[in-house]
Amino acid sequence: MKGSERKFVGLKEIIIVVLFSVLTFIVSMVTALPFAASVHLQLYAGYSLMAIISGPIYVLMISKAPKVGTQVLFFAVKGLYMLIMGQVLTGIIFIVGGFICELIVMNDGYHSVIRSGAAYMLHMTLYGLGSFFPVLFLGDTFRAQLLSRGYDAEAVETMVSLYSSPVIILTVVLCLCVASALGMFIGSRMMKKHFVPGGAV
Amino acid sequence: MQQGRIYPLTSLDVRVRVLLLIPVSIAAMLITDETLLCCLFALAAVWLLMFGLHKKALAYILVYAALWAVLFPLREMQIPGSIPLLTVYVRRIIIAVMGAAPVMSAPTGRLIASLHRMKLPKTAVLSLAVFFRFMPTVSMEYRCIREAQKFRGIGTSIAGVLLHPFLTAECILVPMLMRTSKVADELAASVSVRGMQLEGECSSLHEVRMGAVDWLVLVLGFTAVAVLFAADRSIGGSV
């Protein structure tokens, strides 16, 4: 197979990417739990922790599957979950995000720390902003949903204003970018310390 | 799945399980009336029991009951935090996850053969099969790692985790990733020897055929969800 090195993901890479995507997805759920008591803590600390822990997973994944289609699949798994959970808009945004990430790493971008890091940053930022999309794009529907489920109008307004505040969105984006960079750095260190000597790549 | 006993829907076609997952998850997100949502949850619990997934059904019932127990006091207090949102959404997500449980419990060979028969592209078939099969094994892998850590005295106490969070994270993450990497390689080898990377029609040892029971369950399932949804609309649920 060496002679005909494929550019696109094959079955082996699909398995690798799906497995690691599932792991990052589980990490995102686990890291959200300790901070569930406060929206602010969850948005800043929970999301940052998610981006830091997912960094090594991403680094190992792209070193095992540096092919065209990896980024789309990486996002598509989360998009698929969102679609199963009825979050159609977020699912579609994730899939579109996957294609943008794919463009960033096109033409050997996996060998560039900056380009692969930028794709990871975008991935984590879009994934973190996933909880903002229903408020940002479907504000009235989201409001009506919460009200119909028995929430007090004042509490709903507080929630909507929180999730549509530009300052909060920018702060979350900033936190996610810094945490993603840190995650990539930790991932690269782990790669040299554990995964390459351990024969994982 | 529990071994040795045959449950009413153990041999149900995987396509029926996948097709019923779609309306169940949509209804779980859109039904606004709490009573009807509970009815949908009860149907999902019965759905699991008919596959012999008793432990899972019991676990979901307990979590659902606990969320109900905290939901109303939280609503009374009107806390604008994530916990009230979690009680609203997690209860719905649980129903969707319950709908997916019989798909996850299907043998991999049967799952892949059934998805192939749905005329899905190979990439999608493999992604779905890996997604549904790997999800339940992650917690098992995690438990194994924790057991091994306990044996070595790493991160066993809360104080240990708090004092050395990075060491604990590293001790969990590295073996988890090494194991995932190994699983990926083994799965890839398994897929290769089964000839899935080859062009053309894939055959399977598993007979994939919709029988009378499969059609009946499919129709009944769709009807039940449609009735709940229609009842919700007529009550006045507006989204």
Side-chain angles (χ1 to χ4, degrees):
Chain A
M1 275 304 209
K2 272 265 180 215
S4 56
E5 194 83 35
R6 280 177 294 101
K7 269 185 161 183
F8 292 88
V9 284
L11 290 182
K12 187 184 173 182
E13 287 83 17
I14 291 171
I15 292 169
I16 290 167
V17 177
V18 174
L19 287 183
F20 284 104
S21 305
V22 170
L23 263 192
T24 57
F25 177 70
I26 291 169
V27 164
S28 70
M29 292 203 289
V30 172
T31 51
L33 288 176
F35 306 104
S38 154
V39 180
H40 288 281
L41 263 181
Q42 194 176 14
L43 289 179
Y44 306 131
Y47 286 2
S48 300
L49 192 62
M50 168 191 78
I52 291 171
I53 296 179
S54 299
I57 303 174
Y58 174 79
V59 172
L60 184 59
M61 183 190 77
I62 59 166
S63 61
K64 282 181 80 76
K67 300 276 170 74
V68 177
T70 295
Q71 298 289 338
V72 174
L73 260 176
F74 189 36
F75 244 136
V77 172
K78 286 161 185 157
L80 172 74
Y81 180 81
M82 289 297 163
L83 290 176
I84 291 174
M85 294 302 149
Q87 305 283 326
V88 180
L89 175 78
T90 312
I92 292 169
I93 291 177
F94 283 179
I95 290 163
V96 173
F99 281 101
I100 299 171
C101 289
E102 199 65 64
L103 288 175
I104 294 173
V105 292
M106 221 171 198
N107 292 328
D108 222 17
Y110 287 112
H111 290 114
S112 155
V113 179
I114 293 172
R115 281 167 67 190
S116 56
Y120 177 64
M121 233 177 234
L122 180 66
H123 181 102
M124 278 298 142
T125 308
L126 275 180
Y127 188 55
L129 289 179
S131 52
F132 289 80
F133 295 143
V135 181
L136 291 176
F137 300 111
L138 305 166
D140 292 337
T141 314
F142 182 75
R143 199 177 273 122
Q145 268 184 352
L146 288 181
L147 287 172
S148 68
R149 282 162 197 167
Y151 270 89
D152 178 68
E154 200 180 327
V156 172
E157 282 313 314
T158 312
M159 206 171 290
V160 170
S161 64
L162 199 87
Y163 277 90
S164 54
S165 158
V167 177
I168 290 177
I169 294 172
L170 279 176
T171 318
V172 169
V173 169
L174 191 71
C175 285
L176 280 167
C177 288
V178 173
S180 302
L182 191 60
M184 280 290 289
F185 173 72
I186 294 170
S188 310
R189 293 285 298 269
M190 273 190 178
M191 195 76 187
K192 283 178 196 149
K193 190 179 168 189
H194 298 289
F195 303 131
V196 174
V201 185
Chain B
M1 197 177 290
Q2 291 176 12
Q3 299 291 315
R5 283 188 65 182
I6 301 294
Y7 292 91
L9 297 182
T10 308
S11 56
L12 188 78
D13 195 304
V14 180
R15 285 172 293 177
V16 178
R17 308 179 196 195
V18 174
L19 287 174
L20 282 178
L21 171 61
I22 300 164
V24 167
S25 33
I26 292 172
M29 290 298 150
L30 294 183
I31 286 177
T32 52
D33 185 78
E34 289 291 348
T35 315
L36 293 171
L37 196 68
C38 284
C39 290
L40 187 66
F41 175 79
L43 278 178
V46 172
W47 177 242
L48 290 191
L49 292 175
M50 291 182 92
F51 285 95
L53 302 168
H54 299 112
K55 281 183 186 171
K56 276 190 179 176
L58 182 68
Y60 290 130
I61 289 169
L62 289 175
V63 174
Y64 197 83
L67 289 168
W68 258 97
V70 296
L71 174 67
F72 290 105
L74 284 171
R75 271 187 186 169
E76 289 299 313
M77 288 186 272
Q78 297 294 347
I79 300 169
S82 299
I83 291 177
L85 255 188
L86 279 176
T87 57
V88 170
Y89 283 106
V90 173
R91 282 179 312 128
R92 291 163 191 276
I93 287 170
I94 284 174
I95 297 173
V97 172
M98 286 167 90
V103 182
M104 290 178 180
S105 69
T108 314
R110 263 181 74 188
L111 180 64
I112 290 175
S114 302
L115 293 171
H116 265 305
R117 287 292 290 270
M118 290 173 87
K119 305 287 176 201
L120 291 173
K122 273 182 185 172
T123 310
V125 169
L126 203 60
S127 302
L128 282 169
V130 173
F131 178 79
F132 282 123
R133 295 299 295 145
F134 186 63
M135 274 282 218
T137 63
V138 175
S139 60
M140 201 179 70
E141 298 286 353
Y142 176 73
R143 272 198 297 275
C144 290
I145 291 166
R146 293 294 290 177
E147 285 300 316
Q149 280 188 333
K150 269 185 196 168
F151 190 68
R152 290 173 176 83
I154 305 165
T156 48
S157 63
I158 295 171
V161 174
L162 291 174
L163 284 172
H164 308 287
F166 291 108
L167 180 68
T168 312
E170 193 177 3
C171 289
I172 292 171
L173 204 57
V174 172
M176 186 62 119
L177 288 178
M178 292 295 273
R179 180 74 194 124
T180 308
S181 176
K182 202 155 253 176
V183 168
D185 291 339
E186 284 166 3
L187 271 177
S190 162
V191 161
S192 291
V193 294
R194 284 160 199 246
M196 271 194 77
Q197 80 279 24
L198 302 172
E199 295 296 322
E201 191 79 16
C202 280
S203 59
S204 172
L205 282 173
H206 298 275
E207 192 190 358
V208 181
R209 199 171 60 86
M210 288 283 281
V213 176
D214 300 314
W215 283 112
L216 183 69
V217 172
L218 185 64
V219 172
L220 281 177
F222 265 103
T223 311
V225 176
V227 166
L228 286 176
F229 196 69
D232 185 62
R233 299 295 97 167
S234 66
I235 284 170
S238 59
V239 180

